[in-house]
Amino acid sequence: MLIRAGYELILGVNVPTAMTAMLKVHPLRAADLRTPQAVVTSPALPTRDYIDQFGNICTRMVLPPGDTVLSCDVVVEDSGMPDPQYLDAIQHPVDDVPDDALIYLLGSRYCETDRMSALAWSLFGHVEPGWGRVQAIVEYAHHRLEYGYEHADATRTANEGHEHRVGVCRDFAHLAIALCRCMNIPARYCTGYLGDIGVPPAATAMDFHAWFDVYLGGGWHVFDARHNHPRIGRILMAHGRDATDTALTTTFGPVWLNGFKVHTDEVSSVELTAA
């Protein structure tokens, strides 16, 4: 399956403003790219990339006063299969968790494990460790929160989301991640593209999506508390401890979002050639 994905962001600033962006497909999917990927800017700006401590591609630039358009259009090959399910995947004792996964057991800016530990153990302490325990956490988060763009709040934490019972996809992910970490299951926040492939089209405009990975059975596995169902065509852009580490844009000064479009669609090789 071929998926054409991309975006157009219009950012406005009053003075020259430094910015970092995580707007490229993650290196884990580099072998699947079928066209070059680049963050195109208008006006044309000097940019440079680096790899952060989580393996994400970060692009640095300085926005000039006025509006800057950031855009990309890339084609990615995908298996066309739903998220894999490994129902027998075991939960590792903490002393068997790999060194580089230990950070995903700790509390973070949006996932305050110290505030949620007692709740997590009261809800899931009786559930058999492993895939089933994570699925129970996903079910809980999925039903605990009411989804809606009107509920978006960039400062809401997992504990606050649990109390307010509303949120967007990042809140579903943060809540499930925090509960997993409380149960000694390494969990990391993920963001990227997820189009309406294999499901009825959503009534709202396309957006980037947030989900999470857990470390079970010797590997990382995808879970999605917002949708709570295996999906087709998930394309990772960045992962980290929470939304702090994976912000698609970070500006070091005031900025206004003056335009925002995302597209993620299945295309045929014929359509690709014609384009």
Side-chain angles (χ1 to χ4, degrees), residues 138-162:
V138 169
E139 293 276 354
Y140 180 81
H142 178 75
H143 292 291
R144 178 74 183 182
L145 303 184
E146 174 187 314
Y147 178 84
Y149 277 123
E150 68 275 16
H151 303 314
D153 182 345
T155 66
R156 184 185 292 121
T157 66
N159 188 58
E160 290 169 344
H162 186 266

Side-chain angles (χ1 to χ4, degrees), residues 32 52 54 67 69 72 79 89 114 119 141-142 163 172 187 192 195-196 199 209 212-213 234 236 272:
D32 298 326
D52 72 5
F54 301 104
D67 283 353
V69 180
C72 179
S79 69
D114 55 341
L119 171 69
H142 178 75
E163 293 179 354
F172 285 77
D196 298 324
V199 297
H209 186 59
F212 71 107
D213 291 341
R234 202 179 296 271
L236 178 68
L272 186 61

Side-chain angles (χ1 to χ4, degrees), residues 1-6 29 74-83 193-202 206-207 209 224 227 229-235 263-268 271:
M1 169 187 291
L2 297 177
I3 299 173
R4 169 167 265 154
R29 297 297 302 268
V74 65
V75 175
V76 180
E77 185 170 347
D78 190 79
S79 69
M81 300 298 293
D83 302 321
Y193 297 102
L194 182 63
D196 298 324
I197 299 174
V199 297
M206 184 64 64
D207 198 350
H209 186 59
D224 190 330
H227 293 297
H229 189 274
R231 293 287 295 268
I232 298 170
R234 202 179 296 271
I235 303 172
H263 62 272
T264 312
D265 301 292
E266 181 183 0
V267 295
S268 68
E271 291 174 305

Side-chain angles (χ1 to χ4, degrees), residues 196-228:
D196 298 324
I197 299 174
V199 297
T204 54
M206 184 64 64
D207 198 350
F208 295 112
H209 186 59
W211 62 92
F212 71 107
D213 291 341
V214 299
Y215 189 84
L216 294 174
W220 290 98
H221 306 287
V222 169
F223 284 86
D224 190 330
R226 159 70 180 101
H227 293 297
N228 193 24

Side-chain angles (χ1 to χ4, degrees), residues 122-146:
S122 70
L123 291 172
F124 309 109
H126 67 284
V127 180
E128 185 73 19
W131 191 276
R133 176 177 278 177
V134 178
Q135 186 56 51
I137 290 171
V138 169
E139 293 276 354
Y140 180 81
H142 178 75
H143 292 291
R144 178 74 183 182
L145 303 184
E146 174 187 314

Side-chain angles (χ1 to χ4, degrees), residues 1 6 19 23 51 55 58-59 78 105 112 142 161 171 182 184 188 193 204 225 244 251:
M1 169 187 291
M19 186 182 83
L23 290 169
I51 303 296
C58 303
T59 304
D78 190 79
L105 286 174
E112 59 276 65
H142 178 75
D171 299 297
C182 288
N184 297 327
R188 65 188 183 190
Y193 297 102
T204 54
T244 301
T251 53

